[in-house]
Amino acid sequence: MARLLSLMEDVATKTGGLSSTAGAGASRLGRWVAKEDDDAVYLKVPMPGLTKEHVKVRADKNILVIEGEGEKQPWDGDDDSAVPKYNRRIEMPAADAYKMDKIKAEMKNGVLWVTLLKVKEEERTDVFHVKVE
């Protein structure tokens, strides 16, 4: 988990997106939080003003990409900065440590919940167990 958060901070430093708080980051739309257990990493990403129709989540090798853009409202006039926008790239420590094809994302009440299931050690193809005789 520490490695994951460190990589998230590294990406943020390069893009100017996340705070240096371990386990959390910030965007113009609010703070996000990452938690981990033995089975998965869980991300809670507040995206106020956006619905599931506005949000796209994809995995590109070892990078999780979260994007969202709301709709311009009549009262916004020519002010494009009033449109809620979100763009985050989170580099995962190793794509083969997570089931990238099994990522779950659910949008509830302006909050995106993302679950990245971990590959159990016995399922990993890059780990070879040697029998000791």
Side-chain angles (χ1 to χ4, degrees):
M1 180 70 166
R3 173 92 173 112
L4 172 64
L5 295 173
S6 174
L7 285 169
M8 288 177 176
E9 287 182 22
D10 290 346
V11 171
T13 302
K14 293 175 190 166
T15 62
L18 307 176
S19 75
S20 60
T21 307
S27 77
R28 180 168 75 88
L29 295 179
R31 299 187 59 75
W32 58 269
V33 177
K35 299 207 181 221
E36 180 181 34
D37 64 20
D38 291 338
D39 299 320
V41 171
Y42 307 93
L43 299 174
K44 176 184 172 187
V45 185
M47 301 177 82
L50 301 181
T51 65
K52 69 178 185 177
E53 291 79 21
H54 299 118
V55 177
K56 294 178 185 174
V57 179
R58 71 179 187 277
D60 184 2
K61 296 182 183 168
N62 68 323
I63 297 175
L64 181 67
V65 179
I66 302 171
E67 299 173 320
E69 183 170 348
E71 298 173 5
K72 192 171 191 174
Q73 300 299 322
W75 55 82
D76 293 334
D78 292 333
D79 184 11
D80 286 337
S81 67
V83 177
K85 294 180 183 178
Y86 192 92
N87 188 344
R88 179 71 62 238
R89 300 174 66 82
I90 301 171
E91 186 174 346
M92 306 308 291
D96 55 359
Y98 300 93
K99 297 179 181 179
M100 299 300 271
D101 61 333
K102 304 270 191 226
I103 296 172
K104 295 180 185 177
E106 185 177 7
M107 192 72 169
K108 286 189 208 174
N109 301 321
V111 177
L112 179 67
W113 300 86
V114 181
T115 302
L116 296 130
L117 298 174
K118 293 181 181 178
V119 175
K120 301 208 181 303
E121 187 172 337
E122 58 272 8
E123 297 173 333
R124 291 183 61 177
T125 58
D126 64 332
V127 175
F128 300 96
H129 295 276
V130 178
K131 183 178 177 183
V132 179
E133 296 181 35

